[in-house]
Amino acid sequence: MSDVIDVDVDLMAGALILDSVNNREGVPTERFPQPPNLVTGGPGLAVIDAGGRGKVHTRVRIEPFAPPMTNTERAAWEEMQECTFSCEDPEMFLDGSTGEIIAPFTLPVGNYRIRVYVRGRDQWFDCYTAPDEEPRIHLELHIWPEPEM
């Protein structure tokens, strides 16, 4: 059984940041993904290049282990990428580069894998979605503990 968070996030600069509540120093630009990367991870956070600005629908699934990828799931999304990040503070949240704490949740300290799916990014890349409009870009994030080697 996984925990699910469903939320619309207002993005300022096209990036969705998974960050620690106690990290209020901002994210250095070198931590943002560079094309062709969709997501980058590292100590304490993961940064996703959602492509659009304004409202983006985001679903977060926190899983106990790596979820399987079905062909149906692959067909429903434009792109998918995975990376590793570490959770150094259990109080996490989503940030649309506004500094607003959105959808706070808890993860035990440790290393995690994140799989990011995106839909709408190809068509609406670098477009603005007004707050009163329906989101054009949809993200789904699957997060699970990285297996120990």
Side-chain angles (χ1 to χ4, degrees):
M1 181 82 163
S2 65
D3 292 334
V4 178
I5 299 166
D6 244 331
V7 65
D8 289 341
V9 180
D10 191 24
L11 301 186
M12 293 291 292
L16 178 70
I17 302 165
L18 176 74
D19 203 354
S20 162
V21 169
N22 293 314
N23 178 20
R24 308 311 293 157
E25 298 174 14
V27 179
T29 55
E30 62 269 10
R31 299 285 303 268
F32 282 72
Q34 298 298 314
N37 291 325
L38 171 64
V39 58
T40 59
L45 59 86
V47 182
I48 299 145
D49 183 359
R53 293 171 289 143
K55 204 170 10 172
V56 172
H57 183 77
T58 306
R59 176 175 290 150
V60 179
R61 293 182 182 274
I62 301 168
E63 310 277 358
F65 49 84
M69 283 190 292
T70 66
N71 289 334
T72 303
E73 192 171 42
R74 281 189 181 111
W77 299 96
E78 290 171 3
E79 189 174 352
M80 182 279 298
Q81 278 188 7
E82 287 185 16
C83 74
T84 299
F85 73 98
S86 66
C87 176
E88 298 178 350
D89 180 337
E91 301 303 318
M92 301 294 288
F93 72 105
L94 301 175
D95 180 0
S97 301
T98 63
E100 179 183 359
I101 293 176
I102 302 164
F105 61 96
T106 303
L107 283 178
V109 171
N111 293 323
Y112 289 85
R113 292 292 293 170
I114 182 169
R115 181 182 301 151
V116 178
Y117 296 92
V118 65
R119 179 174 54 243
R121 184 173 179 247
D122 288 349
Q123 182 176 3
W124 303 106
F125 192 84
D126 212 20
C127 289
Y128 179 77
T129 307
D132 59 345
E133 293 177 358
E134 289 296 314
R136 296 176 181 153
I137 296 174
H138 298 265
L139 296 170
E140 186 154 329
L141 318 177
H142 294 219
I143 301 169
W144 66 93
E146 184 170 58
E148 293 184 25
M149 297 279 185

